[in-house]
Amino acid sequence: MSTPTAAYSVRLRVRLPNVPGALGRLSVALGEIGANIVGLHGFEAKGPVLDEDVIVNCSDAAHIEQLRETLVALDGVEILDFADRTFEMHAGGKIHVLATVPIVDRDDLSMAYTPGVARVCTAIATDPALAHTLTIKKNTVAIVTDGTAVLGLGDIGPEAALPVMEGKALLFKSFADVDAFPVCIDTSRDETPQDKVDAIVETVRRIAPVYGGINLEDIAAPACFEVEERLRDLLDIPVFHDDQHGTAVVTLAALENSLKLVGKHMEDLRVVISGAGAAGVAIAKILMAAGVRDVIGCDSRGAVTRERDDLNSAKRAFAELTNPSGTSGSLKDVLPGADVFIGVSGPDLLDADDLRKMATDPIVFAMANPDPEIRPEVAEGLVAVMATGRSDYPNQINNVLAFPGIFRGALDAGATTVTEGMKVAAAEAIAAAVPEHELDAENIVPSVFDRQVVELVAAAVAGAAVTDGVTR
């Protein structure tokens, strides 16, 4: 059974007999099914009965149902309330709009709205650049998706993608004070893949006047590559596909710190990437920009090579950039001798024997979610550094270390795009957030709750924007 987690947390209110041992028997029953009591939020004794509020973590949805069945079957226990805390958190949505100025009298109203607002409109019509200082554009980002590649759920559509986009907006505001809003585009009635790409591009182009930046999210490959490329050409504001570049930035930061531990250098590495989608391609590009010369990408059919005739346009371009020796074969065939494995693909693709065939002091980033390409428990003792995309293991490679600070810096600098230099600067800032004396195999990236990370990344990105000459 997987480890209980807050993602499958239940809030209980139960009524027990007010006798010695009643709460203990409840605790034992929950422990026997692997549920973890993480909070007792108060109790109320009412004569012969005791009402108790309990927070219980489970491991998955089936485990929650097992918990309910266990409570129903337990003698003397009455369930007064049983609520999934994750669904409770999402009730009514996770974000809303707040006013930044008060409206308390006619004077306020006449300045914030008509007639005074007309003067501001006229000023912007005369000088459109003023929209970046006199409107929400200065600090607002659109989180754009079509819902075709949501988490590990796949193509679930724009409505079902909305909770994820709300969560992204919540992170933007909480970590970087950036006002972000979901823009979930329905492309289901567009007949061809090209029609769907065109619909996203045209929609974003039309709504762009409101926003200071565009965060593309959960758009399936290869469409995501064309969407980003075309929008970057059309718009004079930063366009950033976080599934590609956010993952790549944090991966580079983690690798930079890992190399300090194993005494290797970028130019000497042999890197194998499992996953040739949006994240895999972006990781390969940023690693090669950082000095890595030998990168082999693999998809479900094996190594991506120039000789394969089954590649889409994005993978053909990927093949041209990588695998200089033309190595072919399955993931397991090409992994022996590799210094680094990076997984952005699927669960349980590797085993302990695969790791034993890697180079000395191998570095393994198994980032598939929720189940990695190989679990840390399996890799223990066989790797020098292990990282995943999960919060319940050390070294979580999480995009939230990157995108809030990248957009904060880009907006503050008045950047018109996001350059490779800005991405590398972000990675270096994330890596530097772990002090040398704290760096070890279980601490190669800072915590997502380390508030200095956003400040460091924002400053580095803003500086790089100025250096690269892309500020307004």
Side-chain angles (χ1 to χ4, degrees), residues 165-185:
M165 305 309 128
E166 285 184 11
K168 194 87 171 192
L170 180 64
L171 297 176
F172 265 115
K173 189 63 177 178
S174 299
F175 287 98
D177 198 28
V178 171
D179 298 316
F181 202 82
V183 178
C184 300
I185 300 171

Side-chain angles (χ1 to χ4, degrees), residues 6 10 47 55 119 138 163 171 178 180 188 194 211 218 230 252 295 298 321 332 344 363 383-384 434-435 468-469:
V10 175
I55 305 298
R119 296 175 55 225
K138 176 182 179 180
L171 297 176
V178 171
S188 63
Q194 189 60 54
Y211 301 98
D218 292 348
R230 287 173 58 183
L252 176 58
V295 176
C298 296
L321 291 172
K332 289 176 176 286
V344 280
I363 296 167
V383 298
V434 182
D468 292 346

Side-chain angles (χ1 to χ4, degrees), residues 18 58 108 110 156 164 174 185 260 262 362 407 450 452:
N18 190 9
C58 298
D108 292 337
S110 68
I156 60 174
V164 177
S174 299
I185 300 171
K260 296 173 186 176
V262 300
F407 272 97
D450 183 346
Q452 72 160 340

Side-chain angles (χ1 to χ4, degrees), residues 186-221:
D186 184 359
T187 62
S188 63
R189 287 181 288 276
D190 296 288
E191 293 185 1
T192 69
Q194 189 60 54
D195 289 340
K196 295 177 186 294
V197 168
D198 293 344
I200 297 170
V201 171
E202 182 62 14
T203 300
V204 176
R205 185 188 70 80
R206 289 177 181 271
I207 66 172
V210 177
Y211 301 98
I214 305 295
N215 182 103
L216 301 176
E217 191 79 15
D218 292 348
I219 299 172

